[in-house]
Structures are given as C-alpha cells and as structure tokens.
Amino acid sequence: MLMRTDPFRELDRLAQQMLGSDGTMARPAVMPLDAWRADDTFHVEFDLPGVDPESIDVDVERNVVTVRAERPHRASDAELIAAERPRGIFSRQLVLGDNLDTEHISANYDAGVLALSIPVAEQAKPRKIPIAGGRTQQAINA
C-alpha cells in the first residue's frame, strides 16, 4: 500500500521536532499522518490544524502523492509569550504501491484534518479463479 523509500526522512522529522524549526521550502515542517486500509479503500489523514484550506495542494505524479500546505507567520509585532506551534511550509510525499488507483483519489479537509481516500485498483482486488476440469470432452468420448 504505502512504501517508505527514504530512511533518513524519519530522522530529519525527529530533528525538526526536537529543534522546533519552522518550515521553509528547503526544510518543510512535520506533517503527522495516519494511514490504513478499510475494505477496498486506502485512507490517509494528515494533521494540519489552523491551515487555510486554500494553501493546501495535493499533487499526484504516477504513484507519488505530494501534500503541501502553509501556516503563515504572524504579521504582528507583538511580543510572543509562547510559540510552540510550527509555522511555515509543511510537505509530505507518499510513495504508493501499484495496487492503488491514483486516478480516483478524493480529498477532504475538515476540522484541521486533510483526509485522502484512495481506492484499491480493480486488478489488486481479491477474485475467484475458475478451475477447468482435468479431463477434456474428447477423453470422455474415447
């Protein structure tokens, strides 16, 4: 379903969490996700609280889904007392297996969660294979 191809991505994400860095184009901030399969659909949910839906982009190229969003920095000159919520650019790429139908992905953003639904491709669904008899009609008549 979902393939991880960059072993250093998780280390990079953990370092960003520990150092509290804001997201930039070169170093996007973390975007936690949950992924699971239910029946014939693969689901992915990304936590993006406080992100304007207009700033969210979901792109698909072959079997790679890229999600990008932005939570802008505060424009105020006020003195910050606490600044724990990451701001800037958030980005995440998912490499999907060939068993998913990337032509029919649907996306929904509600209550700070971006939800993607990706149907399982028809050729990847379980199916019955008919079994032919071991004897042919000619062998029966002989």
Side-chain angles (χ1 to χ4, degrees):
M1 288 294 158
L2 179 65
M3 299 184 301
R4 294 182 183 259
T5 58
D6 186 357
F8 299 104
R9 177 79 176 159
E10 189 65 27
L11 290 174
D12 196 31
R13 195 171 20 257
L14 289 172
Q16 286 178 357
Q17 283 178 330
M18 298 298 285
L19 300 174
S21 63
D22 287 339
T24 64
M25 288 296 279
R27 265 192 158 352
V30 297
M31 185 188 304
L33 69 81
D34 289 333
W36 69 95
R37 179 177 173 173
D39 299 322
D40 290 337
T41 305
F42 184 68
H43 300 274
V44 185
E45 290 183 344
F46 300 89
D47 281 349
L48 293 170
V51 170
D52 181 4
E54 296 295 319
S55 78
I56 300 173
D57 288 321
V58 179
D59 297 314
V60 179
E61 185 174 338
R62 295 171 48 159
N63 65 333
V64 178
V65 175
T66 303
V67 178
R68 183 189 170 284
E70 183 173 1
R71 183 184 301 128
H73 293 278
R74 295 199 185 278
S76 169
D77 291 335
E79 178 185 353
L80 284 175
I81 305 303
E84 296 178 353
R85 295 174 54 206
R87 297 194 172 272
I89 297 169
F90 301 84
S91 181
R92 191 85 186 252
Q93 283 191 325
L94 304 175
V95 179
L96 304 175
D98 292 334
N99 57 343
L100 296 176
D101 184 0
T102 58
E103 295 293 320
H104 295 97
I105 294 176
S106 63
N108 182 49
Y109 182 71
D110 185 40
V113 176
L114 174 65
L116 301 181
S117 295
I118 310 164
V120 173
E122 285 299 319
Q123 68 269 19
K125 292 180 182 176
R127 60 190 179 282
K128 291 282 187 188
I129 305 297
I131 300 172
R135 299 182 348 185
T136 64
Q137 188 64 31
Q138 288 178 346
I140 295 172
N141 292 337

